[in-house]
Amino acid sequence: MPSDKNEFRNGLSGEERLIERYFRPLATAASAFGLGDDAAALTPPAGSDLILPTDPPQSIGRKALRMNLSDLAAKGATPIGFLLSIALPANTQESWIAAFAEGLGQDISHYGCPLLGGDTDRAPGPLSISITALGALPHGAMVRRATAKPDDVIAVTGTIGDAALGVLIHRDADLAQQWRLSGAASEHLRQRYLLPQPRNALAGALRKHASAAMDVSDGLAGDLAKLCRASGLAAEVDVDAVPMSDAARAALSADAKLIERIMTGGDDYEIVLTLPSAQFGAFRTAAESAGVPLSKIGQVTRGQGVRFLHEGKVLSFAQPSYSHF
Protein backbone atom coordinates (compact mmCIF):
# COMPACT_ATOMS: atom_id res chain seq x y z
CA MET A 1 0.00 0.00 0.00
CA PRO A 2 1.40 3.44 -0.86
CA SER A 3 2.61 5.43 2.13
CA ASP A 4 3.00 8.94 0.71
CA LYS A 5 0.69 11.07 2.86
CA ASN A 6 0.97 13.92 0.35
CA GLU A 7 -1.13 11.87 -2.06
CA PHE A 8 -4.25 13.08 -0.21
CA ARG A 9 -4.81 16.73 -1.03
CA ASN A 10 -8.12 18.46 -0.41
CA GLY A 11 -9.45 15.07 0.67
CA LEU A 12 -8.73 13.50 -2.74
CA SER A 13 -6.50 10.48 -3.28
CA GLY A 14 -3.90 10.43 -6.04
CA GLU A 15 -6.21 8.29 -8.15
CA GLU A 16 -9.10 10.73 -7.75
CA ARG A 17 -6.88 13.70 -8.65
CA LEU A 18 -5.73 11.99 -11.87
CA ILE A 19 -9.32 11.21 -12.83
CA GLU A 20 -10.44 14.75 -11.99
CA ARG A 21 -7.65 16.39 -13.99
CA TYR A 22 -7.25 14.19 -17.05
CA PHE A 23 -10.17 11.83 -17.58
CA ARG A 24 -13.32 13.59 -16.33
CA PRO A 25 -13.09 16.22 -19.11
CA LEU A 26 -13.24 13.33 -21.60
CA ALA A 27 -16.40 11.81 -20.08
CA THR A 28 -18.88 14.08 -21.84
CA ALA A 29 -21.76 11.61 -22.07
CA ALA A 30 -24.48 12.15 -19.48
CA SER A 31 -24.56 8.38 -18.89
CA ALA A 32 -20.99 8.51 -17.52
CA PHE A 33 -22.04 10.75 -14.58
CA GLY A 34 -18.76 12.66 -14.90
CA LEU A 35 -16.87 9.52 -13.82
CA GLY A 36 -18.26 10.15 -10.35
CA ASP A 37 -19.60 6.64 -9.94
CA ASP A 38 -18.49 3.01 -10.29
CA ALA A 39 -20.46 2.35 -13.47
CA ALA A 40 -22.09 4.06 -16.42
CA ALA A 41 -25.74 3.61 -17.39
CA LEU A 42 -26.00 2.96 -21.11
CA THR A 43 -29.24 2.67 -23.08
CA PRO A 44 -28.50 1.05 -26.46
CA PRO A 45 -30.54 2.27 -29.45
CA ALA A 46 -33.70 0.27 -30.08
CA GLY A 47 -32.94 -3.01 -31.77
CA SER A 48 -29.22 -2.78 -31.03
CA ASP A 49 -26.87 -5.01 -29.06
CA LEU A 50 -24.47 -3.54 -26.54
CA ILE A 51 -20.79 -3.97 -27.50
CA LEU A 52 -18.02 -3.01 -25.06
CA PRO A 53 -14.26 -3.18 -25.64
CA THR A 54 -11.87 -3.83 -22.77
CA ASP A 55 -8.87 -1.93 -21.43
CA PRO A 56 -6.82 -4.36 -19.39
CA PRO A 57 -5.72 -3.78 -15.82
CA GLN A 58 -3.55 -6.57 -14.43
CA SER A 59 -5.29 -8.91 -12.05
CA ILE A 60 -5.90 -12.60 -11.43
CA GLY A 61 -8.81 -14.66 -12.81
CA ARG A 62 -11.52 -15.22 -10.29
CA LYS A 63 -10.63 -12.17 -8.23
CA ALA A 64 -10.76 -10.02 -11.37
CA LEU A 65 -14.27 -11.32 -12.13
CA ARG A 66 -15.48 -10.91 -8.56
CA MET A 67 -14.12 -7.36 -8.35
CA ASN A 68 -16.25 -6.49 -11.38
CA LEU A 69 -19.26 -8.33 -9.97
CA SER A 70 -18.93 -6.34 -6.75
CA ASP A 71 -19.23 -3.07 -8.68
CA LEU A 72 -22.36 -4.39 -10.41
CA ALA A 73 -23.85 -5.50 -7.09
CA ALA A 74 -23.41 -2.06 -5.54
CA LYS A 75 -25.20 -0.47 -8.49
CA GLY A 76 -28.14 -2.88 -8.15
CA ALA A 77 -27.35 -4.60 -11.46
CA THR A 78 -27.75 -8.26 -12.38
CA PRO A 79 -24.72 -9.80 -14.18
CA ILE A 80 -25.37 -10.77 -17.79
CA GLY A 81 -21.86 -11.75 -18.87
CA PHE A 82 -18.25 -10.66 -19.13
CA LEU A 83 -15.44 -10.04 -21.59
CA LEU A 84 -12.01 -11.53 -20.92
CA SER A 85 -8.73 -10.30 -22.33
CA ILE A 86 -5.68 -12.33 -21.41
CA ALA A 87 -2.06 -12.00 -22.48
CA LEU A 88 0.00 -15.08 -21.63
CA PRO A 89 3.79 -15.16 -21.19
CA ALA A 90 5.60 -17.44 -23.63
CA ASN A 91 6.42 -20.05 -20.98
CA THR A 92 2.83 -20.46 -19.72
CA GLN A 93 1.99 -24.13 -19.20
CA GLU A 94 -1.30 -25.42 -20.59
CA SER A 95 -1.98 -27.03 -17.22
CA TRP A 96 -1.99 -23.52 -15.69
CA ILE A 97 -4.49 -22.36 -18.30
CA ALA A 98 -6.69 -25.40 -17.61
CA ALA A 99 -6.73 -24.69 -13.87
CA PHE A 100 -7.42 -20.99 -14.50
CA ALA A 101 -10.36 -21.86 -16.75
CA GLU A 102 -11.72 -24.40 -14.28
CA GLY A 103 -11.76 -21.86 -11.43
CA LEU A 104 -13.32 -19.19 -13.61
CA GLY A 105 -15.91 -21.72 -14.74
CA GLN A 106 -16.98 -22.32 -11.14
CA ASP A 107 -17.67 -18.61 -10.68
CA ILE A 108 -19.46 -18.38 -14.02
CA SER A 109 -21.85 -21.07 -12.82
CA HIS A 110 -22.25 -19.65 -9.31
CA TYR A 111 -22.91 -16.03 -10.31
CA GLY A 112 -24.72 -16.70 -13.60
CA CYS A 113 -22.24 -14.55 -15.50
CA PRO A 114 -21.07 -16.31 -18.70
CA LEU A 115 -18.06 -15.45 -20.83
CA LEU A 116 -19.24 -13.48 -23.89
CA GLY A 117 -15.97 -12.93 -25.71
CA GLY A 118 -12.67 -11.11 -25.48
CA ASP A 119 -9.13 -11.55 -26.69
CA THR A 120 -6.27 -14.02 -26.11
CA ASP A 121 -2.71 -13.01 -26.87
CA ARG A 122 0.92 -13.74 -26.03
CA ALA A 123 2.71 -11.33 -23.68
CA PRO A 124 6.40 -10.45 -23.81
CA GLY A 125 6.21 -9.53 -20.11
CA PRO A 126 4.12 -10.66 -17.10
CA LEU A 127 0.71 -12.28 -17.29
CA SER A 128 -2.02 -9.71 -17.93
CA ILE A 129 -5.71 -10.37 -17.31
CA SER A 130 -8.57 -7.93 -17.84
CA ILE A 131 -12.23 -8.64 -17.16
CA THR A 132 -15.12 -6.34 -17.94
CA ALA A 133 -18.45 -7.53 -16.53
CA LEU A 134 -21.76 -6.37 -17.99
CA GLY A 135 -24.88 -5.96 -15.92
CA ALA A 136 -28.51 -5.05 -16.52
CA LEU A 137 -31.21 -3.30 -14.50
CA PRO A 138 -34.45 -1.42 -15.18
CA HIS A 139 -33.95 1.86 -17.02
CA GLY A 140 -32.95 4.65 -14.64
CA ALA A 141 -32.75 2.33 -11.63
CA MET A 142 -28.98 2.34 -11.07
CA VAL A 143 -28.09 3.00 -7.43
CA ARG A 144 -25.62 5.88 -7.56
CA ARG A 145 -23.16 7.19 -4.99
CA ALA A 146 -24.31 10.82 -5.42
CA THR A 147 -27.86 10.41 -4.12
CA ALA A 148 -27.54 9.98 -0.33
CA LYS A 149 -29.91 12.11 1.78
CA PRO A 150 -29.43 13.88 5.13
CA ASP A 151 -30.42 11.66 8.07
CA ASP A 152 -30.07 8.49 6.02
CA VAL A 153 -28.80 5.44 7.88
CA ILE A 154 -25.38 4.14 6.82
CA ALA A 155 -25.10 0.35 6.61
CA VAL A 156 -22.47 -2.09 5.42
CA THR A 157 -22.57 -5.75 4.41
CA GLY A 158 -20.34 -8.51 5.73
CA THR A 159 -17.24 -7.68 7.78
CA ILE A 160 -14.66 -4.96 7.33
CA GLY A 161 -10.87 -5.17 7.43
CA ASP A 162 -10.34 -8.89 6.84
CA ALA A 163 -8.72 -8.45 3.43
CA ALA A 164 -6.52 -5.58 4.60
CA LEU A 165 -5.14 -7.81 7.35
CA GLY A 166 -5.04 -10.79 5.01
CA VAL A 167 -2.72 -9.07 2.56
CA LEU A 168 -0.31 -8.31 5.43
CA ILE A 169 -0.26 -11.98 6.43
CA HIS A 170 0.09 -12.98 2.79
CA ARG A 171 3.25 -10.87 2.61
CA ASP A 172 4.59 -11.75 6.07
CA ALA A 173 3.34 -15.01 7.62
CA ASP A 174 5.08 -14.19 10.92
CA LEU A 175 2.42 -11.56 11.62
CA ALA A 176 -0.13 -14.28 12.37
CA GLN A 177 2.04 -15.42 15.27
CA GLN A 178 2.60 -11.85 16.44
CA TRP A 179 -1.16 -11.33 16.49
CA ARG A 180 -1.62 -14.67 18.27
CA LEU A 181 -3.96 -15.98 15.58
CA SER A 182 -4.98 -19.59 15.18
CA GLY A 183 -4.25 -21.28 11.86
CA ALA A 184 -7.93 -21.07 10.96
CA ALA A 185 -8.11 -17.35 11.77
CA SER A 186 -5.00 -16.61 9.74
CA GLU A 187 -6.32 -18.57 6.76
CA HIS A 188 -9.69 -16.80 7.01
CA LEU A 189 -7.99 -13.42 6.62
CA ARG A 190 -5.82 -14.61 3.72
CA GLN A 191 -8.79 -16.05 1.86
CA ARG A 192 -10.80 -12.86 2.31
CA TYR A 193 -7.98 -11.06 0.52
CA LEU A 194 -7.47 -13.67 -2.18
CA LEU A 195 -11.12 -14.39 -2.99
CA PRO A 196 -13.74 -11.63 -2.46
CA GLN A 197 -17.40 -12.45 -1.86
CA PRO A 198 -19.41 -10.00 -4.01
CA ARG A 199 -22.92 -9.31 -2.72
CA ASN A 200 -24.85 -9.76 -5.95
CA ALA A 201 -27.71 -11.45 -4.11
CA LEU A 202 -28.67 -8.00 -2.77
CA ALA A 203 -28.91 -6.20 -6.11
CA GLY A 204 -32.71 -6.13 -6.22
CA ALA A 205 -33.05 -5.07 -2.59
CA LEU A 206 -30.55 -2.26 -3.12
CA ARG A 207 -32.60 -0.89 -6.03
CA LYS A 208 -35.71 -1.02 -3.88
CA HIS A 209 -34.41 0.44 -0.62
CA ALA A 210 -31.02 2.18 -0.93
CA SER A 211 -30.65 5.88 -1.65
CA ALA A 212 -26.94 5.53 -2.50
CA ALA A 213 -24.30 2.79 -2.49
CA MET A 214 -20.84 1.76 -3.63
CA ASP A 215 -18.61 -1.22 -3.11
CA VAL A 216 -15.81 -1.05 -0.55
CA SER A 217 -12.69 -1.64 -2.62
CA ASP A 218 -10.36 1.10 -1.36
CA GLY A 219 -11.29 0.90 2.33
CA LEU A 220 -14.41 1.83 4.29
CA ALA A 221 -13.15 5.26 5.35
CA GLY A 222 -12.06 6.30 1.88
CA ASP A 223 -15.00 4.89 -0.04
CA LEU A 224 -17.60 6.32 2.33
CA ALA A 225 -15.84 9.67 1.99
CA LYS A 226 -16.14 9.40 -1.81
CA LEU A 227 -19.86 8.67 -1.50
CA CYS A 228 -20.35 11.64 0.81
CA ARG A 229 -18.39 14.01 -1.44
CA ALA A 230 -20.43 12.89 -4.45
CA SER A 231 -23.63 13.52 -2.48
CA GLY A 232 -22.42 16.84 -1.04
CA LEU A 233 -22.96 15.58 2.50
CA ALA A 234 -21.09 14.36 5.59
CA ALA A 235 -21.30 11.29 7.82
CA GLU A 236 -20.65 10.02 11.30
CA VAL A 237 -19.61 6.41 11.86
CA ASP A 238 -19.67 4.51 15.15
CA VAL A 239 -16.46 2.49 14.98
CA ASP A 240 -17.76 0.05 17.60
CA ALA A 241 -20.67 -0.76 15.27
CA VAL A 242 -18.44 -1.55 12.28
CA PRO A 243 -18.67 -5.34 11.80
CA MET A 244 -15.46 -7.34 12.17
CA SER A 245 -14.78 -11.04 11.99
CA ASP A 246 -13.52 -12.96 15.01
CA ALA A 247 -10.14 -13.17 13.28
CA ALA A 248 -9.92 -9.41 12.79
CA ARG A 249 -10.97 -8.77 16.39
CA ALA A 250 -8.31 -11.17 17.63
CA ALA A 251 -5.64 -9.33 15.64
CA LEU A 252 -6.94 -5.99 16.91
CA SER A 253 -6.81 -7.16 20.53
CA ALA A 254 -3.13 -8.01 20.00
CA ASP A 255 -2.31 -4.71 18.28
CA ALA A 256 -4.68 -1.78 18.84
CA LYS A 257 -2.97 0.22 16.08
CA LEU A 258 -4.53 -2.11 13.51
CA ILE A 259 -7.81 -0.20 13.84
CA GLU A 260 -6.57 2.24 11.17
CA ARG A 261 -5.67 -0.60 8.80
CA ILE A 262 -9.09 -2.17 9.35
CA MET A 263 -10.99 1.06 8.66
CA THR A 264 -8.89 2.25 5.71
CA GLY A 265 -7.47 -0.88 4.02
CA GLY A 266 -8.78 -2.03 0.66
CA ASP A 267 -10.11 -5.22 -0.94
CA ASP A 268 -13.15 -5.81 1.31
CA TYR A 269 -15.55 -5.82 -1.67
CA GLU A 270 -18.49 -5.35 0.65
CA ILE A 271 -21.20 -2.74 0.01
CA VAL A 272 -21.58 0.49 1.96
CA LEU A 273 -25.01 2.03 1.46
CA THR A 274 -27.32 4.73 2.70
CA LEU A 275 -31.06 4.43 3.09
CA PRO A 276 -33.94 6.08 4.96
CA SER A 277 -34.20 4.77 8.53
CA ALA A 278 -37.76 3.61 7.79
CA GLN A 279 -36.37 1.31 5.07
CA PHE A 280 -33.65 -0.32 7.17
CA GLY A 281 -35.82 -3.07 8.65
CA ALA A 282 -37.09 -4.20 5.25
CA PHE A 283 -33.59 -4.15 3.78
CA ARG A 284 -32.21 -6.12 6.72
CA THR A 285 -34.91 -8.74 6.18
CA ALA A 286 -33.93 -8.99 2.51
CA ALA A 287 -30.27 -9.34 3.49
CA GLU A 288 -31.08 -12.10 5.97
CA SER A 289 -33.06 -13.94 3.30
CA ALA A 290 -30.05 -13.69 0.98
CA GLY A 291 -27.69 -14.90 3.71
CA VAL A 292 -25.76 -11.61 3.73
CA PRO A 293 -24.81 -10.08 7.11
CA LEU A 294 -25.79 -6.42 7.46
CA SER A 295 -24.84 -3.83 10.09
CA LYS A 296 -25.97 -0.27 10.77
CA ILE A 297 -22.83 1.80 11.37
CA GLY A 298 -23.77 5.48 11.26
CA GLN A 299 -25.75 8.34 9.81
CA VAL A 300 -25.54 10.81 6.94
CA THR A 301 -25.38 14.44 8.09
CA ARG A 302 -25.19 17.87 6.51
CA GLY A 303 -21.74 19.34 5.99
CA GLN A 304 -18.48 17.86 4.75
CA GLY A 305 -16.23 15.00 5.76
CA VAL A 306 -16.62 11.67 7.52
CA ARG A 307 -16.01 11.33 11.26
CA PHE A 308 -15.15 7.94 12.76
CA LEU A 309 -16.10 8.04 16.44
CA HIS A 310 -14.55 5.66 18.95
CA GLU A 311 -15.22 5.95 22.68
CA GLY A 312 -16.29 9.56 22.26
CA LYS A 313 -13.20 10.55 20.28
CA VAL A 314 -12.74 11.21 16.56
CA LEU A 315 -10.16 8.89 15.03
CA SER A 316 -7.56 10.49 12.78
CA PHE A 317 -6.14 8.36 9.96
CA ALA A 318 -2.70 9.06 8.48
CA GLN A 319 -3.82 7.67 5.12
CA PRO A 320 -7.62 7.55 4.90
CA SER A 321 -7.86 5.41 1.77
CA TYR A 322 -5.91 3.03 -0.40
CA SER A 323 -4.60 4.85 -3.48
CA HIS A 324 -3.21 3.24 -6.64
CA PHE A 325 -1.07 6.32 -7.31
Side-chain angles (χ1 to χ4, degrees):
M1 180 177 291
S3 59
D4 184 359
K5 298 177 185 177
N6 293 325
E7 290 189 357
F8 292 87
R9 302 181 190 130
N10 300 321
L12 300 179
S13 68
E15 178 183 3
E16 289 176 288
R17 286 189 294 104
L18 289 177
I19 292 171
E20 181 77 26
R21 180 178 299 174
Y22 297 110
F23 301 123
R24 184 162 293 162
L26 306 179
T28 56
S31 58
F33 305 117
L35 301 187
D37 224 302
D38 297 314
L42 302 179
T43 303
S48 299
D49 295 326
L50 180 63
I51 308 297
L52 290 181
T54 60
D55 181 18
Q58 291 197 13
S59 193
I60 300 296
R62 296 175 74 186
K63 185 168 184 177
L65 177 58
R66 293 185 182 205
M67 289 162 60
N68 278 262
L69 291 173
S70 182
D71 272 331
L72 293 181
K75 301 298 98 184
T78 299
I80 58 175
F82 71 96
L83 303 175
L84 168 66
S85 289
I86 184 167
L88 298 166
N91 61 350
T92 303
Q93 299 295 313
E94 190 164 331
S95 59
W96 184 95
I97 301 172
F100 170 84
E102 181 181 3
L104 205 52
Q106 293 172 5
D107 278 1
I108 286 171
S109 176
H110 181 76
Y111 292 103
C113 187
L115 177 63
L116 301 177
D119 183 60
T120 303
D121 205 348
R122 186 178 298 277
L127 169 72
S128 176
I129 298 169
S130 172
I131 286 179
T132 299
L134 311 179
L137 41 65
H139 180 64
M142 189 175 94
V143 183
R144 298 185 56 197
R145 67 167 78 166
T147 45
K149 301 293 188 296
D151 301 321
D152 274 355
V153 167
I154 302 169
V156 70
T157 63
T159 56
I160 295 298
D162 288 341
L165 300 180
V167 69
L168 294 180
I169 293 175
H170 191 66
R171 293 171 179 168
D172 183 358
D174 291 341
L175 286 174
Q177 185 174 1
Q178 293 179 30
W179 297 340
R180 300 190 293 274
L181 298 181
S182 67
S186 176
E187 185 60 18
H188 169 82
L189 297 178
R190 286 184 71 256
Q191 286 302 315
R192 284 279 286 162
Y193 159 64
L194 293 171
L195 203 58
Q197 303 295 322
R199 303 305 186 178
N200 297 85
L202 285 182
L206 278 166
R207 293 199 307 270
K208 184 175 182 180
H209 300 291
S211 56
M214 64 182 295
D215 79 326
V216 181
S217 56
D218 293 336
L220 176 63
D223 284 330
L224 180 57
K226 292 173 190 175
L227 186 152
C228 287
R229 281 196 296 271
S231 295
L233 294 167
E236 290 191 351
V237 174
D238 178 3
V239 171
D240 293 329
V242 174
M244 299 181 205
S245 68
D246 291 342
R249 291 192 182 280
L252 183 60
S253 67
D255 183 355
K257 293 180 181 178
L258 287 174
I259 190 63
E260 176 164 347
R261 183 77 183 198
I262 290 169
M263 295 296 141
T264 67
D267 280 322
D268 285 315
Y269 294 103
E270 296 292 350
I271 298 175
V272 60
L273 64 136
T274 65
L275 71 169
S277 58
Q279 296 288 317
F280 181 77
F283 186 78
R284 180 171 55 190
T285 298
E288 289 174 352
S289 297
V292 178
L294 182 73
S295 302
K296 184 189 301 184
I297 63 170
Q299 188 171 27
V300 177
T301 62
R302 298 186 185 276
Q304 295 182 337
V306 178
R307 301 201 309 162
F308 280 73
L309 304 176
H310 178 55
E311 297 178 350
K313 298 179 181 179
V314 178
L315 295 185
S316 177
F317 301 132
Q319 184 168 314
S321 176
Y322 176 77
S323 177
H324 302 279
F325 300 95

